[in-house]
Amino acid sequence: MDTVTPRNAEIPGAMSVKSSIDVLTRVSWPMRSKMMTLLLGRPGQGKSAACKQFSEEQAVRSERRWVDLRHATAQDGDHVYLRVNCSSMAREDFYMPWMNQDAQSFQMYIIETLKYLAALSDIEGVLVFDEAPKNADLNAIYAEVGYERTLGWDWSLDPNILVLMTGNRVEDNAGALEMTADVTDRSMVINVEGTSNEFVEHMGSRLSTLF
């Protein structure tokens, strides 16, 4: 059952990772066919992990099987999750073959995966464009898939798929670029400021023992 957004729901200008997951649940998910959500913050805040956690929790609420499309094949009725790291991609990568190291062959990974999703029935899920602000060339793709909910001439995104984007802000000095208005004006932008405990939990064993 979908979560109903309260009429008096307040969305603060900056929030913790935990609070961002709550907003994804209360606001982004009910509005999944109408808008994208962009999570911005410094590196290491746990934004990508928050998107995955939200997806897993939503699958439980919907009583559906959770499937990460990078590692498994979905079926009708599943909750699907797909994360696309956009930091080093070009616009043509959404249409050009990618090398499958395991199969030693080239595959139209992204477009074929999206077409594959369109062929399924009664699905829901989350599509994450990770590190979105690091690639200005892809703004048109984000707007086409996330707002127009199409890609090319013959594919459309299921209305039950939520499009999320994550990345750093320009002022974070992490290589992020300003995103175009056709993306930001059609997205709910969440500024994520993780707490110290959230940072330590997210980084885990990668942190020095001094922490």
Side-chain angles (χ1 to χ4, degrees):
M1 179 178 296
D2 289 344
T3 302
V4 178
T5 306
R7 291 182 179 273
N8 61 347
E10 295 183 359
I11 306 172
M15 62 188 71
S16 66
V17 175
K18 181 178 179 181
S19 295
S20 70
I21 295 175
D22 177 61
V23 171
L24 293 179
T25 303
R26 293 188 297 112
V27 182
S28 299
W29 184 252
M31 295 291 292
R32 56 192 177 278
S33 67
K34 306 297 183 182
M35 69 176 188
M36 303 174 281
T37 298
L38 171 61
L39 290 84
L40 296 175
R42 295 190 302 274
Q45 300 296 300
K47 300 177 294 294
S48 302
C51 293
K52 183 178 181 181
Q53 181 180 335
F54 161 75
S55 178
E56 292 172 331
E57 292 176 355
Q58 183 57 45
V60 174
R61 285 189 290 269
S62 300
E63 298 182 343
R64 294 172 182 255
R65 185 177 70 125
W66 184 83
V67 179
D68 185 340
L69 292 177
R70 295 177 67 91
H71 305 293
T73 302
Q75 301 173 355
D76 294 344
D78 284 341
H79 177 105
V80 297
Y81 170 81
L82 177 62
R83 172 182 168 269
V84 180
N85 190 320
C86 300
S87 58
S88 60
M89 294 179 61
R91 189 181 303 188
E92 55 267 25
D93 289 331
F94 278 75
Y95 306 97
M96 296 292 287
W98 279 25
M99 181 66 181
N100 184 325
Q101 298 290 346
D102 296 329
Q104 293 296 302
S105 63
F106 286 96
Q107 295 179 344
M108 301 290 288
Y109 175 71
I110 297 179
I111 188 64
E112 290 302 326
T113 301
L114 295 178
K115 287 183 177 179
Y116 157 68
L117 283 180
L120 296 173
S121 63
D122 186 32
I123 64 163
E124 66 173 40
V126 176
L127 169 60
V128 181
F129 290 126
D130 205 14
E131 302 291 358
K134 289 188 176 179
N135 199 325
D137 289 341
L138 294 184
N139 278 283
I141 295 291
Y142 306 146
E144 185 177 1
V145 175
Y147 183 73
E148 303 293 341
R149 303 187 72 84
T150 61
L151 186 62
W153 293 98
D154 58 354
W155 177 84
S156 59
L157 186 64
D158 190 284
N160 284 316
I161 300 293
L162 169 64
V163 178
L164 302 178
M165 296 171 287
T166 70
N168 313 122
R169 298 161 299 206
V170 174
E171 57 268 29
D172 294 324
N173 296 317
L177 304 170
E178 290 286 355
M179 302 191 75
T180 54
D182 61 339
V183 176
T184 57
D185 289 353
R186 295 164 172 172
S187 305
M188 178 174 66
V189 181
I190 299 176
N191 285 307
V192 178
E193 295 289 348
T195 65
S196 57
N197 287 337
E198 288 176 335
F199 175 76
V200 171
E201 181 179 350
H202 173 64
M203 296 301 292
S205 60
R206 289 172 290 179
L207 282 177
S208 167
T209 54
L210 293 176
F211 288 89

